[in-house]
Amino acid sequence: MTTAPLLASTWPVTSVGVVVTVLSLLLAVVTGVLAALNRRITRWVLALVALLELALLVLTVQLVVAWAGGNAPEQPVVLLAYLLVVLVAAPGTVWWGAAEPGRWGTGVVCIACLLIPVLLVRLQQVWDVSVAVTGHA
Amino acid sequence: MPEPTATGPDEAEQGSSADVTAGSTKHGPGRVLITVYAILAVGSTARSLFELVTKFDQAPVPYLLSTFAAVVYCVITVALVKDTPGWRRIAFVGMVVELVGVLVVGTWSLVHAETFQNTVTGKGVHSVWYWFGLDYLFVPLVLPILGLNFLRRTRSR
């Protein structure tokens, strides 16, 4: 697929998407283990979350640039909705989980880290409908 | 009321969440439950709004079922966050409706596929509880069971 020409509605952020997915799944494992040990989120986990959010912002910028350049998503409204959720997921759950000491607060962040890769797949599907397998909106 | 058993702060800190958070739906496992319910509420509400606005005529029954599921998820999320005895009862009723709903709609979508069809294109149309929550990785099927179990365990005596 590396030689595919740039067509309209081609998912433009493959490499950053891989970074986001790997980081997110790594964080899901780390927070999952911390939750099992009944620990709070540590400082370096927070740093990883910040890194994940940074990667998501880079991804967003890439999407906007591609969109402005004529490579528009096939379902723009749905795409924006997913993009909004994927951007608030990590900071939102860190905020929501911080108020809860112990495993359950950490578990909340773990859920976001499991959600983000799924949302990324959906983002890709609504950008380029030919990728979609389930077909619903 | 004095504590009948010698439950010290040490024991409470080590987990046994049901004791620590008895009566509260906002703390302990409830924190995680609210998170998952909120995600489903946002997902299904956005989805059903989009379906109702853009293509309601094409498959009214599945889209109305999605809307119903969205309302149920929103009510449960709010009820768990409110965390009062009254809202706790509403959360309980909501989860029972959710469990019955996902079982009925899931079975319906399996045995009567014609209902879940686009009247224009003839293609299959999903709904939130289609195939017991297939689109949401079957979380809708497991969640009410966990939720009802959580409410039962944290009941204040």
Side-chain angles (χ1 to χ4, degrees), chain B residues 28-108:
Chain B
R31 204 80 177 171
V32 173
L33 213 52
I34 288 172
T35 310
V36 181
Y37 269 114
I39 291 166
L40 280 179
V42 169
S44 58
T45 303
R47 170 191 185 145
S48 72
L49 276 180
F50 179 77
E51 288 171 345
L52 291 183
V53 171
T54 60
K55 50 189 179 180
F56 174 68
D57 298 343
Q58 296 177 18
V61 174
Y63 295 155
L64 282 176
L65 288 173
S66 282
T67 310
F68 178 70
V71 171
V72 171
Y73 287 129
C74 290
V75 168
I76 296 173
T77 307
V78 171
L80 290 176
V81 172
K82 291 281 186 182
D83 198 14
T84 65
W87 281 104
R88 188 187 178 85
R89 235 164 285 135
I90 293 172
F92 174 79
V93 173
M95 286 173 190
V96 171
V97 170
E98 179 198 358
L99 183 59
V100 172
V102 72
L103 290 176
V104 168
V105 176
T107 309
W108 187 3

Side-chain angles (χ1 to χ4, degrees), chain B residues 55 57-59 62-63 114-125:
Chain B
K55 50 189 179 180
D57 298 343
Q58 296 177 18
Y63 295 155
E114 303 95 285
T115 311
F116 296 82
Q117 222 170 45
N118 187 316
T119 53
V120 179
T121 62
K123 281 185 185 167
V125 174

Side-chain angles (χ1 to χ4, degrees), chain A residues 40-62:
Chain A
R40 272 172 188 268
I41 300 229
T42 58
R43 213 166 276 248
W44 60 272
V45 171
L46 268 186
L48 276 180
V49 172
L51 200 63
L52 171 66
E53 195 63 19
L54 186 71
L56 281 168
L57 287 173
V58 171
L59 183 143
T60 306
V61 170
Q62 281 194 332

Side-chain angles (χ1 to χ4, degrees), chain B residues 133-146:
Chain B
L134 171 75
D135 294 355
Y136 301 87
L137 307 172
F138 299 106
V139 172
L141 184 61
V142 183
L143 196 57
I145 298 167
L146 296 178

Side-chain angles (χ1 to χ4, degrees), chain B residues 1-12 16 19-20 157:
Chain B
M1 199 180 86
E3 283 284 314
T5 53
T7 306
D10 285 342
E11 193 183 321
S16 182
D19 296 332
V20 181
R157 280 156 290 254

Side-chain angles (χ1 to χ4, degrees), chain A residues 38 75 77-78 81 85 93 95-100 103-105 107-108 111-112 115 118 134-137, chain B residues 13-17 21 26-29 31-32 34-36 39 42 46-47 50-51 55 81 126 135 137:
Chain A
N38 204 5
Q75 300 185 1
V77 179
V78 185
V85 175
T93 51
W95 167 78
W96 178 240
E100 183 80 11
R103 71 161 50 98
W104 304 110
V108 162
I111 287 171
L115 174 72
V118 176
T134 49
H136 70 270
Chain B
E13 251 174 22
Q14 276 169 15
S16 182
S17 46
T21 60
K26 206 164 64 174
H27 295 286
R31 204 80 177 171
V32 173
I34 288 172
T35 310
V36 181
I39 291 166
V42 169
R47 170 191 185 145
F50 179 77
E51 288 171 345
K55 50 189 179 180
V81 172
H126 290 197
D135 294 355
L137 307 172

Side-chain angles (χ1 to χ4, degrees), chain A residues 13-102:
Chain A
V13 286
T14 318
S15 54
V16 185
V18 170
V19 171
V20 168
T21 304
V22 170
L23 253 181
S24 198
L25 291 176
L26 174 72
L27 266 168
V29 172
V30 170
T31 50
V33 170
L34 286 177
L37 297 173
N38 204 5
R39 299 271 176 79
R40 272 172 188 268
I41 300 229
T42 58
R43 213 166 276 248
W44 60 272
V45 171
L46 268 186
L48 276 180
V49 172
L51 200 63
L52 171 66
E53 195 63 19
L54 186 71
L56 281 168
L57 287 173
V58 171
L59 183 143
T60 306
V61 170
Q62 281 194 332
L63 287 180
V64 170
V65 168
W67 198 335
N71 177 9
E74 295 186 13
Q75 300 185 1
V77 179
V78 185
L79 181 109
L80 287 174
Y82 275 112
L83 197 57
L84 190 69
V85 175
V86 89
L87 285 174
V88 299
T93 51
V94 165
W95 167 78
W96 178 240
E100 183 80 11

